Amino acid sequence: GAVVSQHPSWVICKSGTSVKIECRSLDFQATTMFWYRQFPKQSLMLMATSNEGSKATYEQGVEKDKFLINHASLTLSTLTVTSAHPEDSSFYICSAKHTGKNTDTQYFGPGTRLTVL
Amino acid sequence: TQLLEQSPQFLSIQEGENLTVYCNSSSVFSSLQWYRQEPGEGPVLLVTVVTGGEVKKLKRLTFQFGDARKDSSLHITAAQPGDTGLYLCAGGSDLLSSGGSNYKLTFGKGTLLTVNP
């Protein structure tokens, strides 16, 4: 149980285009989902907290107009990287907090590798 | 801002050796999670500890949460090449903000473990 999927697993795009990444909790409901960014051999950096039915909460230094987050249902959150540039190339990982469990545990997706040319 | 200091950052050992990874903070966490991550994949949860002084064992892995819930350790006995990976500790906290609850995980920088055959 507690499986989180991401789509796509990798994407290559041209500079200036927008890319949407989906995060789904497959067998549980997740009121809260999180988006992280990770550079090679480094830890995860929290970008934003996504709450179902409300606006996302962004971490300091993360541009909310560039990284659009939508959490329209209890099982789906999307991250759209708008007007992507090469410096946006990274490994993006989402996680979901199980609504039905009184625990801090987050379940992570497999990640999406974004390469901007 | 909560910080979680993880050490060592890199560890290369021979098969059969024991090792310990530490996570320390000046902040109190409601829980502490340990994850293991393979290259190109999302973190996989190993354990969650929530009670000060708690010890959990998972085969050759032993996890401990400090009495004051500010620190944790991961001990691996008789390491095997299959244990190679990035180990991440993460502290859970619920920071009350003006908008209500602001739960998040604070990640350590990770320990890149290589177990040589």
Side-chain angles (χ1 to χ4, degrees), chain B residues 58-114:
Chain B
L58 185 65
K59 296 183 180 179
R60 293 178 292 102
L61 279 61
T62 302
F63 306 86
Q64 187 166 7
F65 201 12
D67 291 341
R69 305 208 316 273
K70 294 182 179 181
D71 55 88
S72 181
S73 64
L74 157 62
H75 183 79
I76 301 179
T77 304
Q80 299 176 2
D83 295 327
T84 294
L86 178 66
Y87 288 82
L88 297 160
C89 64
S93 56
D94 197 341
L95 307 175
L96 292 178
S97 64
S98 58
S101 175
N102 185 21
Y103 162 83
K104 64 170 65 175
L105 280 182
T106 300
F107 276 87
K109 289 190 174 182
T111 296
L112 191 58
L113 172 66
T114 303

Side-chain angles (χ1 to χ4, degrees), chain A residues 36-46, chain B residues 1-11 21-25 29 32-37 43 72 85-91 105-113:
Chain A
Y36 295 84
R37 186 173 179 176
Q38 185 178 33
F39 293 103
K41 296 186 178 180
Q42 293 188 23
S43 189
L44 280 68
M45 182 185 74
L46 179 64
Chain B
T1 302
Q2 294 183 305
L3 294 174
L4 200 50
E5 299 289 338
Q6 187 171 346
S7 63
Q9 193 172 354
F10 300 97
L11 191 55
V21 179
Y22 300 93
C23 272
N24 297 288
S25 175
F29 292 102
L32 204 296
Q33 283 100 59
W34 284 91
Y35 295 87
R36 178 168 168 266
Q37 185 181 23
S72 181
L86 178 66
Y87 288 82
L88 297 160
C89 64
L105 280 182
T106 300
F107 276 87
K109 289 190 174 182
T111 296
L112 191 58
L113 172 66

